[in-house]
Amino acid sequence: MLFCEQCQAHVEGSLQRCPLCQSPLTGQPEENAYPVLPPAKSSLRLSLRLAALATVAVAAVCSAVNYSLPQTGWWSVFVIAALASTWLVLGVTVRKRGSPMKAVVWQLGVISAVTFLWDLCTGFAGWSLDFVLPIFIPCAQLAAFIVVKALSLRPAEYLFCLTVCILVGFVPLIPLLCGALGVVYPTVICVSISLIALAGLLLFKGSALKDDAVRRLHL
Amino acid sequence: MSDRNYLPWWRLDNAAKIFPSTSSAHDSKVFRFFCELEEAVVPAALQSALDRTMERFPIYRCVLRRGWFWYYLEDSPLPAAARPEELPPCFPIYPSLRRSLLFRVLYYRRRISLEIYHVLSDGAGALDFLRDLVYEYLRIRHPEAGFPAGSVLAPGVSERQKEADSFQKYYEKPARRFGLSPSAYQICGERLPKNQLAILEGRIPTRELLACARSRGVTLTELLTAVLLRAIYDGMRVRDRKKTVAVTIPVNLRNYFPSFSSRNFFAIFHVSYDFSKNPDCLEAVLASVKKDFQEKLTAEQLKAQMNGLCALEHNFPARIAPLPLKDIVLRCANRMAAHAATASFSNVGRVSMPEGAEKYIRQFGVLTCAGCLQACAVSFENSFVITFASPFRSRETERVFFQELSRLGLDITLTTNMKDEVEQNAVL
């Protein structure tokens, strides 16, 4: 064992200097009680950093070119908006990668909102409400169902997220009832699928859903 | 679990409710108990021992989840695995990317370590788990010693008693509310990079330390608290010296209110000393600390404090506030409460193991992660181990503390997780 003359204390491990006063130690070093750990890795991966840098570069170059050639219209705004949308969807997926059910719900929310905003900001032709949302929502419901089966999740792990996915399927009813749609078939199909899914959920997992609500809502 | 639809779950106890909102990378609210054996740990035997211990602690098989109003614990099928020590001490357990059990069992050379997220249990509950684990391990490794089968815990304690929320049991609506404690001196200084924790263990022979405390007419905890107060004072800048130095002392409420709970059941009190108005010699500090302990460490005082904290939880507007709002409020409250203390000192007390086990065990130890300087102590047979865990680069408080103990004639053996300062600088 090592010894520090200054502090009159024994020191275990393989240090060269006293941990208190940094004086040189005498005696025989021993094995350490704590492992020597490799330095912690950075949480942000290199590929993600490179992608972020490339995004900033593309946005900067497009803005510069567009500014120099104003007669071509303000197309760089669309490029930047497209990049931002991509990063938003990607970011949500990366953040929620530990829990695939949450990832599905977040993607459903973010992609729906981004699609609607694009439609709204590009003259509101109505393509998002007529086609994209009513087709995308049942796809997300199917994806959630596949995740449940593939990972054989327990009811407590999926019920809340699955219920949210199914309930979102009724949102397209709002434009339908307001008469804001040009083409109604996709929306009608989406709502019907959601209704069947909801009935199935309540009939087969009704009591589990109630238990889940009790846990989540306890005061 | 035979019925896939039935899922046990538990509300968080009163003390645990604040931890999930306030855990962060530099204050993970994770603490570690370790047991150093006389021989190297055999991983396979440790895993078998862990499997057996898990059967006796069903509440440890759970994950933390977010509700709309409160966090809660939910039964989980995740396996409990004994792993080699590859993460820094007290590495955050929650929040993490993937859902995990709220404790880990680690081994390195001769040491078995149990790291627990404070939501699950306090020191006394965790120590029960580790004692049981070590006993099972020794039974597997040393059949020749003839250890009897069964648990080291008090016989006849039911699972319900172990998972009971004793705060709820002893709560009575208080007449008045508690105010904020006055703010105390805060140790400042450069922090270690990447939320590292500098650990310094000091092993002292229990009998020598007890004799030293008794010769001064105080208890062991009182003596060490006084030495710690003086060590902190030594490192204060002159312009800060008018501020009070306060040390938080956690108290195991099981000693005052009967409970076999393996969850949280503790309270805290502050021992403070104003060096600007009182003499700084050890005798004067000891007398003041002794008086504080006698006044504050009574069943009535502890009950009043417990009721005050439980009343906050039972307050209806607080209960119906959504969880994200609670997170923000609790984080602020935690920050304000942290100003009341300079450091913290927790003496877990004596660890008892069944007869015959002591020849295989060298020492027990405990350490905890926090934003400020933390000292924890535990004794086993003749080894009293006091462990400092500090986020600061400077270890002056620890130096003065141990040098003073050395001057009191105590034989000290130090262990640290930090490499030599010179080498460390070269690496960084």
Side-chain angles (χ1 to χ4, degrees):
Chain A
M1 197 181 288
L2 300 160
F3 189 73
C4 173
E5 301 285 347
Q6 287 292 319
C7 304
Q8 290 295 307
H10 299 278
V11 178
E12 279 184 354
S14 58
L15 295 177
Q16 286 166 355
R17 291 166 180 276
C18 171
L20 298 179
C21 67
Q22 282 80 50
S23 328
L25 296 167
T26 56
Q28 285 299 313
E30 297 171 337
E31 60 184 26
N32 284 318
Y34 288 89
V36 177
L37 300 169
K41 281 183 194 155
S42 170
S43 57
L44 217 55
R45 282 171 177 238
L46 182 67
S47 52
L48 218 53
R49 286 171 202 256
L50 286 174
L53 186 65
T55 308
V56 173
V58 169
V61 169
C62 287
S63 306
V65 171
N66 196 190
Y67 187 76
S68 318
L69 305 166
Q71 66 277 19
T72 54
W74 293 112
W75 50 269
S76 64
V77 176
F78 291 98
V79 174
I80 291 168
L83 288 171
S85 308
T86 313
W87 271 102
L88 197 62
V89 175
L90 199 73
V92 164
T93 314
V94 169
R95 266 189 82 89
K96 300 287 171 193
R97 65 191 184 281
S99 163
M101 280 305 278
K102 277 188 193 163
V104 170
V105 172
W106 276 91
Q107 282 173 335
L108 174 61
V110 169
I111 294 177
S112 304
V114 166
T115 314
F116 181 69
L117 280 176
W118 269 94
D119 192 7
L120 198 67
C121 299
T122 52
F124 202 42
W127 51 266
S128 64
L129 296 181
D130 283 350
F131 300 106
V132 181
L133 290 186
I135 293 170
F136 175 62
I137 292 169
C139 290
Q141 290 171 347
L142 182 67
F145 188 73
I146 291 171
V147 167
V148 170
K149 289 293 162 201
L151 301 178
S152 43
L153 296 178
R154 303 190 310 165
E157 292 166 315
Y158 70 76
L159 270 181
F160 178 71
C161 291
L162 190 63
T163 311
V164 171
C165 284
I166 291 174
L167 291 181
V168 169
F170 293 98
V171 174
L173 263 181
I174 301 169
L176 180 71
L177 296 179
C178 295
L181 297 181
V183 182
V184 294
Y185 306 113
T187 302
V188 170
I189 293 169
C190 168
V191 174
S192 309
I193 290 174
S194 303
L195 199 61
I196 295 166
L198 184 66
L201 185 73
L202 291 176
L203 286 170
F204 291 97
K205 293 289 171 201
S207 64
L209 197 62
K210 200 178 134 209
D211 287 347
D212 197 51
V214 168
R215 282 193 296 271
R216 282 175 189 272
L217 297 173
H218 80 273
L219 281 172
Chain B
M1 191 71 37
S2 55
D3 182 2
R4 261 175 72 94
N5 286 327
Y6 172 69
L7 189 68
W9 68 284
W10 300 268
R11 287 160 180 267
L12 297 192
D13 57 66
N14 175 264
K17 281 195 160 106
I18 195 168
F19 295 129
S21 310
T22 55
S23 315
S24 60
H26 76 272
D27 186 2
S28 64
K29 311 284 185 198
V30 172
F31 60 94
R32 171 191 283 206
F33 271 94
F34 65 84
C35 173
E36 187 168 324
L37 303 173
E38 293 288 357
E39 60 193 9
V41 176
V42 177
L46 183 61
Q47 184 60 52
S48 314
L50 178 59
D51 293 340
R52 290 190 200 172
T53 301
M54 283 304 284
E55 289 168 17
R56 296 199 192 104
F57 290 84
I59 196 177
Y60 277 56
R61 200 181 285 283
C62 68
V63 292
L64 185 65
R65 300 203 59 178
R66 284 178 74 95
W68 289 33
F69 303 103
W70 295 108
Y71 292 88
Y72 60 94
L73 299 173
E74 190 178 88
D75 184 81
S76 163
L78 292 170
R83 293 196 198 91
E85 193 174 333
E86 281 164 350
L87 289 169
C90 299
F91 192 76
I93 289 180
Y94 185 92
S96 74
L97 189 61
R98 281 177 219 321
R99 219 166 268 159
S100 64
L101 295 181
L102 302 180
F103 70 97
R104 31 176 117 89
V105 171
L106 308 166
Y107 57 86
Y108 180 72
R109 289 188 174 151
R110 289 192 303 243
R111 286 190 177 191
I112 300 173
S113 303
L114 169 70
E115 290 194 341
I116 288 203
Y117 189 37
H118 218 321
V119 164
L120 195 57
S121 175
D122 61 8
L127 191 55
D128 279 348
F129 187 92
L130 182 65
R131 283 166 58 219
D132 202 74
L133 176 67
V134 170
Y135 183 63
E136 284 295 346
Y137 176 82
L138 291 178
R139 272 188 58 213
I140 293 169
R141 287 287 298 152
H142 297 283
E144 77 285 355
F147 291 119
S151 171
V152 296
L153 309 175
V157 178
S158 72
E159 281 183 11
R160 279 275 156 235
Q161 280 175 300
K162 272 188 256 178
E163 64 183 49
D165 180 354
S166 301
F167 283 110
Q168 293 297 342
K169 183 173 174 185
Y170 291 103
Y171 169 65
E172 284 172 306
K173 205 167 176 172
R176 62 187 179 84
R177 294 285 156 81
F178 262 60
L180 269 180
S181 311
S183 72
Y185 164 70
Q186 300 295 310
I187 298 175
C188 41
E190 195 189 342
R191 284 176 182 256
L192 288 162
K194 294 177 186 166
N195 299 313
Q196 287 179 75
L197 215 52
I199 293 165
L200 190 60
E201 297 166 15
R203 189 171 69 231
I204 308 163
T206 315
R207 285 179 212 113
E208 278 184 32
L209 188 59
L210 263 177
C212 180
R214 282 187 187 144
S215 69
R216 286 167 174 78
V218 293
T219 66
L220 210 147
T221 314
E222 288 163 1
L223 174 70
L224 293 172
T225 309
V227 175
L228 179 60
L229 282 169
R230 274 169 48 83
I232 295 168
Y233 172 68
D234 191 86
M236 283 168 89
R237 292 176 298 204
V238 175
R239 62 175 182 275
D240 285 334
R241 288 190 171 182
K242 56 182 183 293
K243 291 182 189 162
T244 313
V245 181
V247 175
T248 306
I249 314 268
V251 187
N252 181 4
L253 290 175
R254 293 171 190 80
N255 298 336
Y256 295 85
F257 308 100
S259 160
F260 292 101
S261 176
S262 58
R263 298 176 64 185
N264 284 300
F265 195 39
F266 70 97
I268 55 163
F269 73 100
H270 295 299
V271 173
S272 52
Y273 194 81
D274 189 345
F275 285 93
S276 63
K277 294 183 185 136
N278 301 292
D280 62 358
C281 64
L282 183 61
E283 279 64 36
V285 182
L286 261 179
S288 162
V289 167
K290 189 175 178 180
K291 195 165 138 269
D292 260 8
F293 268 78
Q294 279 170 350
E295 282 171 6
K296 294 179 181 171
L297 209 53
T298 61
E300 294 77 49
Q301 284 276 333
L302 294 171
K303 175 123 190 161
Q305 196 214 2
M306 184 171 83
N307 284 341
L309 288 172
C310 288
L312 291 176
E313 177 199 337
H314 284 84
N315 179 348
F316 189 70
R319 273 161 57 189
I320 60 165
L323 193 55
L325 184 67
K326 280 197 184 99
D327 278 344
I328 296 168
V329 173
L330 286 174
R331 237 169 267 155
C332 295
N334 184 55
R335 214 167 294 155
M336 281 196 286
H339 282 289
T342 313
S344 147
F345 173 52
S346 171
N347 185 1
V348 178
R350 207 171 66 84
V351 184
S352 64
M353 286 297 282
E355 208 166 318
E358 70 279 352
K359 65 177 178 208
Y360 302 104
I361 299 170
R362 183 175 286 196
Q363 61 178 0
F364 274 86
V366 54
L367 60 105
T368 178
C369 168
C372 66
L373 181 70
Q374 293 267 346
C376 295
V378 63
S379 75
F380 176 72
E381 299 291 318
N382 197 30
S383 73
F384 183 91
V385 178
I386 178 160
T387 310
F388 280 88
S390 160
F392 300 107
R393 191 179 273 278
S394 155
R395 266 172 278 167
E396 282 304 283
T397 311
E398 291 97 311
R399 178 182 66 78
V400 178
F401 180 88
F402 283 117
Q403 285 180 344
E404 170 127 24
L405 289 184
S406 183
R407 264 199 298 280
L408 292 175
L410 296 166
D411 182 28
I412 297 164
T413 308
L414 299 165
T415 310
T416 180
N417 72 329
M418 300 306 277
K419 288 173 278 178
D420 282 311
E421 201 67 35
V422 183
E423 287 175 32
Q424 193 192 350
N425 283 341
V427 171
L428 289 172

